[in-house]
Amino acid sequence: MVCFRLSPVPGSGLVLLCLVLGAVSSYALELNLTDSEKALCLYAKWQMNFTIPYETTSKSYKTVTISNFGTPTYNGSICGDNQNGSRIAVQFGSGFSWIVNFTKSVSVYSIDSISFSYNTGDNTTFPDAKDKGILTVNESVAFKIPLNDIFRCNSLSSLVKNGVVQNYWDVHVQAFVQNGTVSTNEYLCEKDNTTTTVAPIVPTTVPSPTTTSSPTTTPSPKEKPDVGSYLVKNGSDTCLLATMGLQLNVTHDKVASVININPNVTGYSGSCHPQTALLRLNSSNIKYLDFVFAVLFFKQKNENRFYLKEVNVSMYLANGSVFSFANNNLSYWDAPLGSSYMCNKEQTVSVSGEFQINTFDLRVQPFNVKDGKYSTAQECSLDDDTILIPIIVGAGLSGLIIVIVIAYLIGRRKSYAGYQTL
């Protein structure tokens, strides 16, 4: 735990800020704010990340996910009082900031608004960005919490505006803390009220021998997952369609797990842009499972094609730990722009050595959806049975030739046996 002691902020007194940095399974950020009398006035710990699309100088679109905040500062965070609101202000990276404003009334306090500013001039985060500068996304929240209650939301909550996706989970916050002590009364978000268990799905697990660095055994095969249908809308128009059965293969702490996604209890959301599209799935176990698609001009085929470029996942495992991984350098489900991609047979998306996704009865169209229906599909090579025809014909001809050669050899042997020496 790294703690920062900052100079007094007018109206807030001494500020004590603590940041917990470490594994994904721990809280990413923790804030303890004290007033001039060193009494705790605001408490918060939470996890968050941001997914941002941007246009490049080559007029293509890229998507970047920000989840590592390095060593942030908290200039501008204030306790607030009856006349002035409370605020959490976080600065990180090169020109990035995140601010939450709280207001107070007689019996409740409110999460009033959230703003996130990002700097496309940061070439490390936004390589080849066309437009340089600081952009801000403001969201009015107006979520009310009983005064002297701590707000808790372990479930994933997302805000989407202008293509920017803000994700929050494992949130614990109390503004306007009374008597310097965090309340034991929890006010739960709606998702936590309806979901009382963290990981109700019990996957098949096989522990590996402790003497090896990776599993030497595999989980028992599971039944084929149910097929779900998902869509994303841009206003009233459907802009992304996906139909698929999903089976997740996770290896974590030398334990392999196989998890079938149940579409009946899986939520979905996303966003559509000219060059990128996002489909996000979430459930009580899955904080988020992102499929990010991109458009690219293929010189070999002289056409624009879409493909699965990125997969991001964060999910609870059976032992309560959190598994998270992201790969933005994939190349799956490739098809011409304006068509759909289809693969009925089982197909594997290898995100990493620890995480693979098996798909069944897959069909997806992330761009140019017309009238909410799939366009003509390009089938995967696994479904293409036409390749079997020349193989069967070739095998048949080869067999026929072998039979003719054998018959010829037998015939010659019999003809030699018919001549005797005089």
Side-chain angles (χ1 to χ4, degrees):
M1 180 176 290
V2 182
C3 296
F4 301 87
R5 187 176 298 274
L6 307 179
S7 57
V9 179
S12 66
L14 183 65
V15 179
L16 177 65
L17 302 168
C18 295
L19 171 66
V20 178
L21 302 173
V24 177
S25 57
S26 65
Y27 288 102
L29 299 164
E30 181 171 351
L31 165 66
N32 292 271
L33 193 61
T34 59
D35 59 20
S36 57
E37 297 179 357
K38 297 184 179 181
L40 184 68
C41 62
L42 190 153
Y43 171 76
K45 58 181 180 180
W46 72 102
Q47 295 200 64
M48 63 182 180
N49 66 25
F50 308 95
T51 300
I52 308 166
Y54 69 98
E55 186 177 3
T56 66
T57 53
S58 60
K59 296 184 179 180
S60 64
Y61 283 80
K62 292 184 178 180
T63 302
V64 63
T65 299
I66 300 173
S67 56
N68 183 0
F69 306 106
T71 305
T73 58
Y74 297 83
N75 298 321
S77 297
I78 58 175
C79 291
D81 52 33
N82 292 330
Q83 286 75 39
N84 302 298
S86 181
R87 181 190 306 129
I88 299 174
V90 185
Q91 302 85 36
F92 55 93
S94 178
F96 295 81
S97 64
W98 181 77
I99 297 174
V100 182
N101 290 302
F102 302 88
T103 56
K104 177 184 176 183
S105 63
V106 176
S107 59
V108 300
Y109 67 94
S110 300
I111 303 174
D112 192 54
S113 63
I114 297 176
S115 67
F116 169 57
S117 298
Y118 57 96
N119 181 18
T120 56
D122 180 3
N123 293 325
T124 302
T125 307
F126 299 97
D128 303 321
K130 177 184 176 182
D131 299 318
K132 307 288 187 179
I134 296 178
L135 302 175
T136 300
V137 177
N138 293 302
E139 284 283 356
S140 178
V141 180
F143 185 83
K144 296 182 179 181
I145 305 160
L147 199 61
N148 204 31
D149 278 11
I150 182 170
F151 172 69
R152 187 200 46 152
C153 194
N154 290 330
S155 303
L156 175 72
S157 299
S158 299
L159 299 175
V160 182
K161 189 173 184 179
N162 299 336
V164 177
V165 181
Q166 305 178 52
N167 297 312
Y168 305 100
W169 68 97
D170 291 343
V171 176
H172 295 68
V173 62
Q174 183 179 354
F176 308 102
V177 174
Q178 306 292 301
N179 302 319
T181 304
V182 174
S183 175
T184 58
N185 297 323
E186 290 187 333
Y187 186 81
L188 306 184
C189 64
E190 184 177 353
K191 289 183 178 179
D192 279 16
N193 263 323
T194 56
T195 304
T196 57
T197 56
V198 172
I201 297 177
V202 180
T204 304
T205 59
V206 177
S208 299
T210 56
T211 56
T212 61
S213 59
S214 60
T216 58
T217 57
T218 57
S220 303
K222 294 201 70 172
E223 67 278 4
K224 184 178 176 180
D226 293 335
V227 176
S229 295
Y230 312 100
L231 61 86
V232 176
K233 288 195 172 186
N234 189 359
S236 60
D237 298 326
T238 300
C239 59
L240 183 152
L241 291 170
T243 304
M244 52 191 169
L246 295 173
Q247 186 177 81
L248 310 183
N249 296 270
V250 181
T251 302
H252 186 64
D253 291 338
K254 300 180 181 180
V255 176
S257 306
V258 178
I259 302 170
N260 284 347
I261 289 185
N262 181 358
N264 296 323
V265 294
T266 300
Y268 53 90
S269 60
S271 60
C272 298
H273 304 279
Q275 299 291 321
T276 59
L278 165 69
L279 172 64
R280 162 162 291 165
L281 306 182
N282 65 279
S283 66
S284 58
N285 297 81
I286 301 172
K287 295 180 179 181
Y288 57 86
L289 174 59
D290 291 348
F291 297 90
V292 180
F293 301 88
V295 175
L296 188 65
F297 180 76
F298 284 72
K299 292 183 180 179
Q300 303 91 327
K301 299 183 179 181
N302 194 33
E303 64 181 356
N304 286 317
R305 300 175 70 89
F306 73 81
Y307 67 102
L308 177 65
K309 181 182 185 296
E310 182 177 345
V311 170
N312 306 309
V313 64
S314 184
M315 59 186 295
Y316 292 105
L317 300 179
N319 60 5
S321 63
V322 175
F323 175 82
S324 297
F325 196 85
N327 187 339
N328 63 358
N329 194 30
L330 301 175
S331 184
Y332 290 96
W333 307 351
D334 157 41
L337 192 65
S339 66
S340 61
Y341 175 85
M342 183 169 67
C343 197
N344 291 319
K345 290 186 171 62
E346 180 179 355
Q347 189 180 30
T348 300
V349 175
S350 182
V351 182
S352 72
E354 294 76 32
F355 182 57
Q356 299 85 38
I357 305 173
N358 295 336
T359 63
F360 301 81
D361 300 315
L362 168 70
R363 190 168 187 181
V364 62
Q365 184 171 345
F367 301 97
N368 296 359
V369 175
K370 304 295 184 184
D371 301 322
K373 298 179 181 179
Y374 284 110
S375 301
T376 303
Q378 173 169 307
E379 296 186 44
C380 65
S381 57
L382 296 174
D383 286 354
D384 190 0
D385 294 333
T386 58
I387 195 174
L388 295 177
I389 296 176
I391 294 175
I392 294 172
V393 172
L397 290 174
S398 299
L400 180 60
I401 292 172
I402 293 172
V403 170
I404 293 173
V405 170
I406 293 174
Y408 171 74
L409 293 175
I410 293 174
R412 287 193 63 186
R413 180 175 296 179
K414 287 184 177 180
S415 63
Y416 280 124
Y419 295 93
Q420 302 294 328
T421 303
L422 296 176

